[in-house]
Amino acid sequence: TEFISANDLATLLGVSVNEVISKCLSFGMFIAINQRLDAEAITFIADEFGYEVEFISAEEETSIQLEQEDKEEDLVSRAPIVTIMGHVDHGKTSLLDYIRKTNVTQGEAGGITQHIGAYDVVTSSGKRITFLDTPGHEAFTAMRARGAKVTDIAVIVIAADDSVMPQTVEAINHAQVAGVPMVFAINKIDKPDANPNKIKEALANMNILVEDWGGKYQCQELSAKKGIGVEDLLEKILLEAEFLDLKANPKKNATGTVIEASLDKGKGYLATVLVQSGTLKIGDMVLAGSHYGKVKAMLDYRGNKLTKAGPSMPVQILGLNGAPQAGDKFNVTTEREAKEIATRREQLLREQGIRAIKRTTLNELGRRI
Ligand code: GDP
Ligand code: MG
């Protein structure tokens, strides 16, 4: 796919088109002034002039247009959004299940919970935490690959009767690359052969020092099966969240990310979305990926009907005309605009795969010297 002309690229780079042309020539690449360039050529040329190019999806570009500015006084603190990662069988699902079962959202009777890909709990200290219930770093990487940033804190689960395993290392790497702070959960301490110190030592060998070894990483020994230490882990997550000073503006149209979506034969398309700013309400016109629709009903993971959902709240919504993909952004807008943008996105997706250039990116990123 070709994006912009050599001339336009030169303008973005703040150099003359002749400089661009002669630079290319010196590498044996012949280009004309009005020649449209592909992604590879753009990246190469920009790099030669000290710029890094970021290609963002068409969806992201239109989402940015829909975003509303926040006033400082409208920002209020919001719950942390947590992803649990770690090696297979180290206890991610057990931990998520234990937390979901034991921490009931305030004022609600315990009913049958349904899996909607995310849930929020209120801890015994009265604070809210949202968990993405899509364990495994595949979900984390898939979302990030789509440009979605939905995790504030990563909990890395390591079984105390095992060791730091390849997927543990991978999970740590993913969190580090994403700049997401980690809290370590050393699980299965109820087992006779559990050896938490061996795990801490293995982490130390990776340059990760946990707190009781004089380092900066919070670490909790626990048993997801017996429930030992889980409340303490939640308090450590909250402490980490306090450092992050997470804030969002609830007083505007909602924006956020799609966690999962499916088609229910009786109900139609169901999408679990995470509200990241603003407040989502029944009747709002939601645009998600290349689908849209009016929110007809909104449910939490306990099946409770909601009329609105603020920042950091995961909700299942009913009313979209299709199933968006996990990691798609959603916005609230007018029906006309939703229809128009959804159609344009579909067209763009067809025409050029998922990528389009955001023309101003070159200007926004500084010179890299
Ligand atoms: P995941 O693959 O990381 O999701 O791991 P699971 O949660 O499915 O757990 C794998 C196995 O370890 C299951 O048989 C669990 O019952 C067991 N398990 C998980 N946590 C604990 C624990 O704290 N203690 C003990 N003894 N077993 C556990
Ligand atoms: Mg599992």
Side-chain angles (χ1 to χ4, degrees):
T1 318
E2 275 124 29
F3 297 103
I4 53 172
S5 70
N7 204 20
D8 290 343
L9 180 61
T11 307
L12 286 171
L13 293 169
V15 297
S16 75
V17 69
N18 285 332
E19 280 178 84
V20 169
I21 291 172
S22 58
K23 179 66 85 181
C24 289
L25 256 180
S26 71
F27 286 96
M29 211 162 98
F30 298 90
I31 57 163
I33 292 183
N34 287 317
Q35 185 176 333
R36 294 174 79 78
L37 306 167
D38 64 15
E40 201 185 347
I42 291 168
T43 306
F44 175 80
I45 295 165
D47 185 69
E48 283 301 315
F49 287 96
Y51 284 93
E52 209 174 327
V53 187
E54 189 190 1
F55 289 85
I56 68 164
S57 63
E59 176 198 306
E60 223 177 317
E61 187 171 343
T62 42
S63 291
I64 289 164
Q65 293 164 13
L66 295 172
E67 256 162 53
Q68 297 168 302
E69 294 277 327
D70 294 321
K71 277 188 250 141
E72 187 63 36
E73 67 261 31
D74 290 336
L75 295 176
V76 296
S77 74
R78 62 167 179 85
I81 298 158
V82 178
T83 298
I84 295 186
M85 296 195 278
H87 197 73
V88 66
D89 283 346
H90 279 195
K92 298 177 293 294
T93 304
S94 305
L95 182 57
L96 278 163
D97 286 350
Y98 184 85
I99 295 168
R100 189 177 35 222
K101 267 183 248 146
T102 49
N103 291 266
V104 180
T105 306
Q106 260 169 357
E108 288 164 4
I112 299 162
T113 62
Q114 45 171 355
H115 180 95
I116 65 167
Y119 64 81
D120 58 312
V121 297
V122 175
T123 68
S124 52
S125 62
K127 294 209 166 113
R128 199 178 280 269
I129 306 178
T130 299
F131 286 92
L132 293 185
D133 194 0
T134 46
H137 52 244
E138 286 83 4
F140 185 77
T141 27
M143 295 248 200
R144 267 184 37 88
R146 300 186 65 74
K149 197 178 180 305
V150 285
T151 302
D152 298 309
I153 296 166
V155 169
I156 311 289
V157 177
I158 312 173
D161 65 335
D162 198 4
S163 39
V164 168
M165 297 295 279
Q167 282 175 282
T168 317
V169 176
E170 235 175 272
I172 292 171
N173 287 341
H174 283 309
Q176 284 177 331
V177 168
V180 173
M182 296 179 281
V183 174
F184 289 87
I186 302 188
N187 190 27
K188 307 199 188 184
I189 54 155
D190 60 293
K191 286 194 145 186
D193 52 345
N195 187 353
N197 273 328
K198 192 185 123 196
I199 304 297
K200 292 177 190 176
E201 191 184 334
L203 288 173
N205 289 335
M206 296 174 66
N207 258 328
I208 293 170
L209 275 187
V210 296
E211 261 183 343
D212 51 345
W213 283 36
K216 64 170 182 178
Y217 292 96
Q218 295 196 83
C219 177
Q220 180 62 45
E221 294 175 20
L222 54 88
S223 166
K225 197 172 191 169
K226 301 246 159 96
I228 306 160
V230 178
E231 272 310 307
D232 295 323
L233 174 71
L234 299 183
E235 288 309 313
K236 286 181 179 173
I237 290 170
L238 288 169
L239 189 63
E240 200 70 42
E242 242 171 74
F243 289 135
L244 294 173
D245 193 26
L246 304 165
K247 290 198 163 135
N249 173 10
K251 291 188 198 165
K252 60 177 186 180
N253 284 341
T255 62
T257 302
V258 174
I259 304 301
E260 61 179 35
S262 60
L263 176 61
D264 180 285
K265 275 189 200 131
K267 296 180 194 155
Y269 289 99
L270 299 173
T272 298
V273 300
L274 180 66
V275 177
Q276 290 175 282
S277 69
T279 297
L280 185 63
K281 302 179 204 80
I282 296 272
D284 278 348
M285 176 56 64
V286 167
L287 166 71
S290 39
H291 303 287
Y292 64 95
K294 218 175 225 173
V295 179
K296 281 191 267 182
M298 216 165 18
L299 303 170
D300 67 10
Y301 74 99
R302 300 200 152 252
N304 294 310
K305 285 200 170 120
L306 306 174
T307 54
K308 58 187 171 83
S312 293
M313 279 196 66
V315 284
Q316 191 179 54
I317 61 170
L318 216 118
L320 290 180
N321 66 355
Q325 290 186 51
D328 274 343
K329 267 206 123 184
F330 81 83
N331 298 86
V332 169
T333 178
T334 60
E335 176 161 12
R336 212 190 60 164
E337 195 163 39
K339 220 181 241 175
E340 205 179 284
I341 295 174
T343 311
R344 199 159 75 225
R345 280 178 183 169
E346 223 167 67
Q347 228 165 15
L348 276 166
L349 288 172
R350 257 201 313 267
E351 280 169 14
Q352 48 178 241
I354 58 160
R355 310 226 146 211
I357 192 171
K358 179 186 162 207
R359 286 161 200 254
T360 54
T361 307
L362 286 171
N363 289 331
E364 279 165 12
L365 289 166
R367 284 194 180 249
R368 251 199 289 151
I369 303 159

